[in-house]
Amino acid sequence: MTEERPAGTPVLRRMNRAAVLDAVRRRAPEPIRVAELVRLTELTRPTVAQAVEDLLAAGWLRQVAPEQATVGRPATRFSLNGRAAPVLALDVGPHTVTVGIADLAGERLATIRRPVGRRGARHLLEAVDEATGAALAAAGLTAGQIAAVTAATPGIVEVTTGRVLFAPSVPGWPEIDLVGRLRARFRCAVTVENDANLAALAAVHRRAGAGTLLAVQWGERLGAGVVIDGRLHRGAGQAGEIGFIRPTTALPSPATGLPNPAGDLPGPASGLPDPAGDLPDPVGDGRGPLERAIGAEAIVDLARRRAEGRPESRLARVTDAAAVFAAAADGDPMAVAVVDRIAAVFAEAIAPAVLVLSPHAIVIGGGIARAGAVLLDAIARHLAGLVLTPPSVELSELAEGTVLTGAIQLALEEVWRDTLAGC
């Protein structure tokens, strides 16, 4: 039975507006007719009509040209006015800053990517300011029109304040009040979150009913976000810092039951770093042991070392990890051995987390997500020998855009939470 709610009092009118706006949001970007809103909200037609009129006047909705009907009068349709509350997201990395602006319906208005000239917090802030200004200009917006900002950052972030507590890849970054700087510029809600956590939120958003998900962000650095029943798991604050896992051996130990996946590849001294050091960062580059072992830079280095003395090999000329994976996909035996070794080290490192969490899926994002089946199959094969119930291992469709997508989603959630509460 349809519930009829009076539309007279300010409180009830606000509730009705929120219900109608939420129904339009769920249909976005497709327009919707009043009759459909009546069905979805279970409000009377006059109540819906009044709410639509209020939302049009407030700028939240826009009227869409009616469909051409073959019989009778065409019905008027309504959709979100995306520019009523656009959001801005930043993916702040030690080498690159990417800024994205999206409208209320999640449609991307601008995406700007800028390199960071030199290492350090000051240079990173310069890139943030420049990329942000360029994105606003590209979208035709001012800072005052942005309704919410989410910034993704490497390192450990204090949840309550958004303060970066630890970011070894960017010297001086924890001393920067990023939240305060962004609030001063945009005068709106600002959230700062760990980049791998945002990648996890993006991954779970694309997997309805994902259950427990381990989302790995894998590029030059490695991090992970853990999502359990749709909620981000933070633990004591450092959950997912897999880059600091110390590989037990550069090659899989015979005790694991795995064969040597690299054949005649050289040992740690000429391939992967020796994992037996006493410090998490003996090199002083801010990377954890697993990052130094199988990050994108390490993959290239390993491939070149494998090709030493063989100038005719494709691996002798590689400049990035993508070229290594491409060579392996083409069947190059040296590249296949390198990829298999990387997959074995990753599987051995991640296996304890899989045994503890029993995730339904491992989703790999970041630059390595473009590796394709050659890496995916190798990881799945090695992991199957190390865990009781192997999870699905997948490559993120978003690849390097995973973090920015998650940041946009979080900013939109902030806007909708405030909007629907005070509509």
Side-chain angles (χ1 to χ4, degrees), residues 212-287:
T212 299
L213 185 71
L214 183 63
V216 176
Q217 194 67 9
W218 189 353
E220 182 179 328
R221 306 187 66 87
L222 275 91
V226 181
V227 177
I228 301 175
D229 294 332
R231 298 180 63 122
L232 191 64
H233 173 72
R234 302 177 185 276
Q238 295 85 39
E241 292 293 336
I242 63 171
F244 290 89
I245 293 175
R246 189 184 303 277
T248 56
T249 179
L251 289 173
S253 166
T256 66
L258 292 175
N260 182 335
D264 61 349
L265 281 177
S270 56
L272 300 176
D274 183 355
D278 294 327
L279 298 174
D281 182 21
V283 182
D285 60 2
R287 301 179 197 176

Side-chain angles (χ1 to χ4, degrees), residues 366-393:
I368 301 301
R370 299 195 183 279
V374 65
L375 177 65
L376 201 67
D377 294 345
I379 290 174
R381 173 165 41 84
H382 287 296
L383 193 59
L386 296 169
V387 300
L388 299 176
T389 305
S392 169
V393 183

Side-chain angles (χ1 to χ4, degrees), residues 88-100 111-136 151-152 170 173 176 178 181-182 185-186:
L88 184 142
L90 300 98
D91 179 4
V92 181
H95 304 295
T96 307
V97 172
T98 306
V99 178
T111 303
I112 298 293
R113 186 180 176 92
R114 292 288 186 268
V116 179
R118 296 172 60 188
R119 191 166 182 244
R122 181 171 64 84
H123 302 290
L124 188 55
L125 282 176
E126 290 173 356
V128 167
D129 291 341
E130 199 279 327
T132 299
L136 289 170
V170 185
W173 195 235
I176 301 298
L178 185 59
R181 288 177 64 94
L182 292 173
R185 181 170 187 177
F186 291 98

Side-chain angles (χ1 to χ4, degrees), residues 66-75:
E67 295 177 304
Q68 294 299 319
T70 55
V71 179
R73 183 178 178 182

Side-chain angles (χ1 to χ4, degrees), residues 287-336:
R287 301 179 197 176
L290 190 61
E291 293 171 324
R292 293 196 308 276
I294 59 171
E297 186 176 317
I299 294 172
V300 173
D301 183 63
L302 181 58
R304 287 176 173 172
R305 289 176 181 272
R306 181 65 179 90
E308 284 180 357
R310 304 182 187 183
E312 75 284 357
S313 170
R314 287 175 63 177
L315 298 191
R317 303 182 299 275
V318 295
T319 58
D320 56 34
V324 179
F325 294 118
D330 290 341
D332 183 293
M334 289 187 191
V336 170

